Amino acid sequence: MTTIRDAAQKLMQTAIGLAPERWLPGGTPDPLIGRHGAIGSSVPRIDGPRKVKGEARFAAEVPAGNMVYAALVYSTIARGRIATLDTDATQAVPGVVLVMTYRNAPRMAPPALFMSDPRAAGASSLPVMQDDTIHWNGEPIAVILAETQEQADHAATLVRVTYTKETASTSFDAATAQAHRPDSVLGEPAVIEIGNAEAALAEAAHQIDRTYHTPRHSHAAIEPHAATVWWEADGRLVVHDATQMLNGTRWTLAGIFGLKEEQIRILSPFVGGGFGGKTLWNHQILAIAASRLSGRPVRVSLSREGVFRVSGGRTTTRQRVALGARADGTLSALIHTGIAAMTAYNNCPEQFSFPARHLYAADSFKLEQKVADLDMVANTFMRAPGESIGTFALESAIDELADSMGLDPIELRRRIEPVKDPTSGHAFSARHLLDAYARGAERFGWSARNPTPRARREGEWLIGMGVATATYPYYRMPGGAARITLTREGQARVAMASHEMGMGTATVQVQAAADRLGLPIAHVTFAYGDTALPPGTIAGGSSQTASIAAAVTAASEKLVPALLKLVGNDSPLAGLRAGDVEARDGGLGHRSLPERFESYASILSRANRDEISAEAEAPMPLEVQKYAMHSYGAQFCEVRVNAVTGETRISRFLGSFDAGRVLNPRTAASQFRGGIIMGLGLALTEETLFDARTGRIMNPSLADYHVPVHLDVPQIDVIWTDSPDPHAPLGAHGIGEIGITGVGAAVANAVYNATGRRIRDLPITLDKLL
Amino acid sequence: MLITINGQGMEVALDPRTSLLDLLREHLELHGTKKGCDQGACGACTVLADGERILSCLALAVQYEGRSISTVEGLADDGRLHPLQQAFIDHDGFQCGYCTPGQICSAIGMAAEIGRGVPSAVTADLAATTIPPTRDELRERMSGNLCRCGAHNGIIDAITEIYSAEAAE
Ligand code: FES
Ligand code: FES
């Protein structure tokens, strides 16, 4: 893991060397922040018609001539070796083209683990099918290629395998005895201690010291992981993937197969839901290897069970939150520690202690994360990794403290609102959490809440209200570049290898580029989803919107001087420099002299050019080194709990967010709601069941893994402060993950208010309330 | 065997194990109908068989010999979106769009069920001949169509716009 820290440090040193002044103290905020144009309007999704007509083509739907279908066979033990492997009956099935096992798989380097290098995308660093070793229960041990999926699936059932078992670590409870601190948690220290928090806790007038448990979760995107792959005659590799890491996947595959990056093209224009799960797992690597061996294009489309076996989800945690408070509610101690299950070959420690590093003022802190190594499929990032379940523990504990002190939980949060980041000491770039609380409380009717638990009842139903803070960091990823091409017709084509998984990427980026270039949105297109375009950054950490916007800004700043170079002496722009002009009305104009204007079409046609192009890389995200940059929210929930059956229903929900400037209210509302709904699943129904004896996932299906369905989802109200962050491109924060944070605690706190029962172990199923 | 897809009769020769879903997706290049689980748990594969909604992943294609199947590709009329398709756009009833064809086909089949007076688990009066398409009715009846992006509100809004107005007429 030292490599990760080294890489992070190296990255920062390079960054500081580049030292762009934009978005930093003394720098000028993005000029688009104050302007009202396409940005901020509810533009319908550009790809809407294709999606409702079923015309959006996903990875498993790309045609390839002479293609074969893959089926995988999964190990049924967690650790050991393959003793015997009989594939004769499989080979004999009509239509079978190839049976690949460790015996004939090509030699491949292990994947570079995500974050071991800024370009790495591997979900684990384990070698893929290189010997007879088994590393987790469900690891693919054979790939069958056949002319049809039916033949491949049938042939896969005929593989006969026996194992020599070795002792596996499959019990989280047992493994916690050897829990250890990781070298870093996403580049941050695993432990932060300020003052002596344990001593302060012991002396505090009011104390809460609780343990919370959260289970494993599955992303459960409705599109199963899939790829259609082939090798060209000249040795180039084409991968139609469902991915949120186009360029990372390309770089990592190049390493695995000993190729140059330029020899690989990854395409992924539509992804049927990602949530952190659509990254580089074994199935793409195996399909590519099998395609090489067979000489045929291969489609691998994981079965739903396969998704659970091959790709990991959110891991399980045990967390302790302890709060010491004075009579006025201010905190003398804030302790948030715990352990997450992980493997020895991945790097996702589930940063549950992150919210406590930034949310509240306290005299002393003890924040520590450990990991316990298990033999299981590599766990990974899932929507607000850490923050989703960390806020469950922290925000439940805050509610417990408020309740024990007889304080309103919103009032308690007012009293512990910090003036600067409590652990880094940095100034907040923008923080309006209390404003979000005030607006939310007003709209939700919080004042009607009876603070006494179990005080409101309608027939069989106990009714309660709860609230919790949402928080998620602002990230912007380095390494992306955008290209803008302006044509003589006054059209702009913006291109960057980025991702659309439902966020509305193209729609919002067209809005942003239109305003940036002074064009109507109908004159702008955004090309993405293809590594043939300038490199994009990952769709992760809610970073993509800002990452793209920064790159497009950089490209536009290169485009303007290039355009000015083209203007002749008789142009109204003659003699002007980039700093004198702005993009408006389909051209460039002097900032204060309206008559000094020339349209792009006119500039290009006078210069006798069909088009002009500029490409530039975004500057390093130094703003996050100077400021504490986060999004916030106040999640309000009303539940009805059946006093007889223990069933919990969500009757009302409101999310009041403070997440920078909202670029498109229509798509933003959908993202906020989507996060909240996944949070309702986290609160009430979702749990990936893991057999602690065998390491087997016991509910690998959408029938047994319970995501919220229509009847579970009430009308969800979302509002936002719309306060721009002056240090972020467009003043905007990514909003894909903030919605899920705080929801677990808001529900648990409402359940407590309804029933008097405090559930500290997710999900809140009815057996726990009886 | 002969099967009618979106009004067009076609002759297909198939491995009898082929599901109706795989017939559409892998043999006829009609990828609008989605596969989310292949085991009847998600609703992404919903199509209309003689107007009734079915899960095409649980249907063997050969069972549908002679039947008429409608998929999402057959809904638009001469390039003009079906009103429900337009309503999905207007209410932002999707994000990734993967569950969307199934939601739309399911909603069309569901509206017909309400129209025929078929009660659901939340219908208060089982003897009623007309069932008002309340939000609860729609939510209950659409619960077999999962959406992981969380577009539930927009989906029910879109269906309400189209079918509550129709019911009121
Ligand atoms: S694919 Fe048919 S129900 Fe999921
Ligand atoms: S829109 Fe993505 S699953 Fe429904």
Side-chain angles (χ1 to χ4, degrees):
Chain A
M1 295 295 162
T2 34
T3 40
I4 292 155
R5 209 176 35 198
D6 292 350
Q9 272 167 6
K10 213 179 295 157
L11 212 62
M12 283 325 302
Q13 279 155 7
T14 332
I16 288 157
L18 292 176
E21 58 291 348
R22 203 176 0 231
W23 303 314
L24 289 182
T28 18
D30 190 333
L32 289 191
I33 285 178
R35 256 207 256 161
H36 285 278
I39 296 173
S41 58
S42 281
V43 177
R45 289 171 196 272
I46 284 174
D47 50 20
R50 293 176 70 188
K51 286 181 175 174
V52 300
K53 287 197 275 186
E55 287 174 1
R57 212 176 260 273
F58 294 85
E61 300 167 356
V62 176
N66 203 27
M67 184 186 77
V68 286
Y69 294 83
L72 305 183
V73 180
Y74 308 103
S75 78
T76 54
I77 66 159
R79 193 180 154 97
R81 292 182 173 274
I82 296 172
T84 64
L85 182 60
D86 175 1
T87 60
D88 291 352
T90 307
Q91 297 276 12
V93 171
V96 167
V97 168
L98 175 76
V99 179
M100 186 174 88
T101 69
Y102 73 91
R103 291 178 182 148
N104 60 339
R107 295 303 96 190
M108 299 176 265
L113 179 60
F114 182 60
M115 296 204 323
S116 61
D117 183 288
R119 297 161 297 183
S124 107
S125 57
L126 281 177
V128 181
M129 207 176 271
Q130 295 298 292
D131 61 24
D132 58 1
T133 316
I134 302 297
H135 307 87
W136 79 87
N137 195 324
E139 180 173 3
I141 54 164
V143 180
I144 321 299
L145 299 186
E147 301 292 344
T148 71
Q149 191 71 58
E150 291 80 13
Q151 292 165 337
D153 288 345
H154 171 61
T157 66
L158 302 178
V159 173
R160 293 287 165 257
V161 57
T162 62
Y163 302 97
T164 312
K165 280 192 196 173
E166 288 163 22
T167 311
S169 167
T170 49
S171 161
F172 179 52
D173 285 343
T176 53
Q178 282 91 47
H180 56 93
R181 276 185 198 166
D183 275 0
S184 91
V185 177
L186 272 68
E188 304 284 331
V191 59
I192 291 181
E193 288 202 67
I194 299 173
N196 187 341
E198 296 288 1
L201 175 71
E203 286 163 17
H206 299 271
Q207 300 164 17
I208 286 289
D209 194 343
R210 302 288 189 226
T211 301
Y212 301 86
H213 296 266
T214 65
R216 294 173 171 79
H217 293 137
S218 174
H219 305 84
I222 303 299
E223 177 204 28
H225 296 57
T228 305
V229 310
W230 63 83
W231 293 86
E232 301 278 0
D234 60 3
R236 282 180 306 127
L237 173 64
V238 177
V239 181
H240 290 266
D241 197 7
T243 182
Q244 39 195 116
M245 292 189 185
L246 281 162
N247 287 91
T249 299
R250 181 170 76 158
W251 185 83
T252 309
L253 286 176
I256 294 169
F257 291 96
L259 299 170
K260 294 197 182 74
E261 277 188 275
E262 307 76 67
Q263 291 174 287
I264 306 177
R265 183 174 179 194
I266 321 265
L267 300 99
S268 189
F270 293 103
V271 179
F275 320 115
K278 292 272 173 65
T279 56
L280 182 60
W281 298 96
N282 282 22
H283 65 284
Q284 299 107 316
I285 299 166
L286 290 170
I288 293 164
S291 176
R292 176 176 264 180
L293 276 191
S294 65
R296 306 271 299 266
V298 170
R299 172 169 305 157
V300 62
S301 188
L302 291 182
S303 65
R304 183 49 63 176
E305 180 189 350
V307 172
F308 281 83
R309 303 267 176 254
V310 172
S311 72
R314 192 196 307 286
T315 195
T316 184
T317 66
R318 189 174 77 201
Q319 305 173 46
R320 172 189 176 215
V321 180
L323 304 169
R326 287 177 281 261
D328 65 358
T330 55
L331 297 180
S332 53
L334 198 172
I335 297 173
H336 194 166
T337 60
I339 305 173
M342 208 172 82
T343 74
Y345 40 82
N346 75 318
N347 177 35
C348 181
E350 195 74 28
Q351 60 272 29
F352 56 78
S353 71
F354 278 17
R357 298 178 184 207
H358 311 290
L359 271 184
Y360 302 121
D363 303 343
S364 64
F365 287 88
K366 180 177 164 190
L367 310 168
E368 182 188 37
Q369 296 212 205
K370 288 186 175 174
V371 292
D373 294 335
L374 262 66
D375 294 306
M376 60 178 191
V377 63
N379 63 294
T380 196
F381 303 88
M382 175 170 158
R383 205 169 201 165
E387 282 82 5
S388 53
I389 55 171
T391 52
F392 166 65
L394 178 63
E395 293 299 295
S396 290
I398 293 279
D399 200 70
E400 297 202 41
L401 177 64
D403 182 64
S404 74
M405 297 180 69
L407 264 180
D408 179 87
I410 299 179
E411 178 56 30
L412 172 60
R413 290 181 177 89
R414 263 187 217 115
R415 297 182 187 185
I416 55 177
E417 173 72 5
V419 290
K420 59 181 173 48
D421 187 276
T423 55
S424 74
H426 288 152
F428 292 114
S429 63
R431 175 165 166 139
H432 312 279
L433 173 59
L434 295 182
D435 189 21
Y437 263 108
R439 291 167 188 237
E442 162 87 32
R443 188 164 167 121
F444 197 70
W446 179 254
S447 58
R449 170 181 177 265
N450 187 331
T452 310
R454 217 182 170 91
R456 226 181 119 196
R457 184 170 180 144
E458 284 176 15
E460 278 179 12
W461 295 92
L462 302 165
I463 301 167
M465 287 192 208
V467 75
T469 300
T471 186
Y472 192 79
Y474 161 93
Y475 291 113
R476 185 163 70 76
M477 299 297 172
R483 182 172 61 231
I484 304 173
T485 305
L486 267 180
T487 72
R488 195 199 272 245
E489 290 73 40
Q491 308 271 339
R493 299 194 305 266
V494 181
M496 183 166 172
S498 33
H499 314 81
E500 160 60 18
M501 316 185 286
M503 311 85 92
T505 306
T507 310
V508 167
Q509 293 303 334
V510 161
Q511 290 174 261
D515 283 1
R516 184 77 60 201
L517 299 169
L519 289 169
I521 55 173
H523 289 199
V524 181
T525 59
F526 183 72
Y528 67 95
D530 183 350
T531 57
L533 304 171
T537 57
I538 65 168
S542 298
S543 64
Q544 196 179 238
T545 301
S547 303
I548 300 173
V552 173
T553 307
S556 74
E557 284 167 357
K558 217 164 147 183
L559 184 69
V560 171
L563 278 164
L564 288 175
K565 258 195 206 148
L566 291 185
V567 303
N569 285 337
D570 39 0
S571 162
L573 300 174
L576 295 183
R577 281 178 312 193
D580 306 327
V581 299
E582 62 184 6
R584 60 168 141 94
D585 307 322
L588 295 179
H590 191 280
R591 285 180 190 278
S592 47
L593 305 171
E595 69 284 1
R596 296 200 64 182
F597 170 87
E598 185 168 15
S599 72
Y600 299 130
S602 162
I603 298 172
L604 286 171
S605 63
R606 280 215 261 187
N608 224 349
R609 291 277 293 266
D610 288 334
E611 53 182 53
I612 181 170
S613 229
E615 182 175 327
E617 199 173 309
M620 293 300 285
L622 283 194
E623 64 272 26
V624 298
Q625 299 300 312
K626 300 279 183 181
Y627 293 101
M629 298 180 75
H630 303 268
S631 294
Y632 306 94
Q635 308 272 26
F636 291 82
C637 177
E638 183 189 85
V639 297
R640 298 164 72 89
V641 181
N642 191 294
V644 179
T645 66
E647 177 187 9
T648 300
R649 308 298 300 172
I650 308 293
S651 44
R652 293 196 298 133
F653 204 101
L654 162 72
S656 172
F657 295 100
D658 169 38
R661 185 171 188 207
V662 164
L663 303 178
N664 181 328
R666 178 193 299 247
T667 54
S670 290
Q671 273 196 292
F672 288 138
R673 287 198 180 99
I676 289 169
I677 291 165
M678 202 176 275
L680 296 179
L682 168 149
L684 295 177
T685 57
E686 293 187 33
E687 176 169 14
T688 308
L689 298 167
F690 185 84
D691 188 333
R693 300 160 305 177
T694 62
R696 190 86 170 159
I697 289 172
M698 303 302 288
N699 57 342
S701 84
L702 292 176
D704 297 317
Y705 183 88
H706 298 140
V707 305
V709 304
H710 282 289
L711 199 60
D712 299 323
V713 179
Q715 191 87 324
I716 288 168
D717 200 6
V718 286
I719 57 175
W720 47 84
T721 59
D722 209 14
S723 310
D725 184 334
H727 305 292
L730 304 169
H733 287 186
I735 53 169
E737 293 168 272
I738 179 77
I740 191 175
T741 68
V743 178
V747 174
N749 296 342
V751 166
Y752 172 75
N753 183 243
T755 65
R757 299 285 294 275
R758 185 66 74 174
I759 307 299
R760 304 187 184 91
D761 178 12
L762 292 180
I764 306 170
T765 44
L766 33 82
D767 50 300
K768 294 172 188 166
L769 287 167
L770 284 176
Chain B
M1 64 176 241
L2 202 65
I3 187 167
T4 302
I5 313 275
N6 296 328
Q8 219 185 313
M10 35 188 107
E11 182 69 46
V12 291
L14 279 180
D15 181 331
R17 293 172 294 190
T18 311
S19 68
L20 179 58
L21 176 59
D22 284 343
L23 165 65
L24 295 168
R25 286 174 62 85
E26 306 302 335
H27 298 262
L28 302 177
E29 297 262 316
L30 289 170
H31 293 110
T33 307
K34 303 302 180 193
K35 183 186 281 189
C37 68
D38 215 21
Q39 50 191 191
C42 76
C45 63
T46 307
V47 298
L48 299 165
D50 296 316
E52 279 196 52
R53 53 178 174 166
I54 61 162
L55 298 175
S56 63
C57 71
L58 294 186
L60 288 172
V62 290
Q63 288 176 287
Y64 286 81
E65 173 156 30
R67 305 278 297 273
S68 175
I69 307 297
S70 305
T71 72
V72 71
E73 287 94 343
L75 297 179
D77 187 11
D78 234 2
R80 268 203 37 226
L81 293 181
H82 184 285
L84 189 58
Q85 289 174 316
Q86 186 60 49
F88 264 65
I89 295 176
D90 296 342
H91 294 278
D92 213 34
F94 55 92
Q95 293 184 37
C96 76
Y98 198 79
C99 73
T100 313
Q103 303 274 2
I104 291 174
C105 288
S106 183
I108 293 171
M110 176 215 58
E113 288 158 21
I114 292 188
R116 289 200 304 275
V118 180
S120 81
V122 300
T123 309
D125 178 5
L126 295 182
T129 47
T130 59
I131 298 168
T134 61
R135 267 194 106 78
D136 279 357
E137 279 287 356
L138 299 181
R139 291 199 295 144
E140 160 64 19
R141 290 164 188 266
M142 290 300 293
S143 283
N145 287 86
L146 305 183
C147 174
R148 188 53 160 168
C149 294
H152 305 77
N153 284 179
I155 293 168
I156 300 299
D157 288 345
I159 300 172
T160 302
E161 182 201 316
I162 301 304
Y163 294 110
S164 292
E166 207 169 81
E169 269 164 23

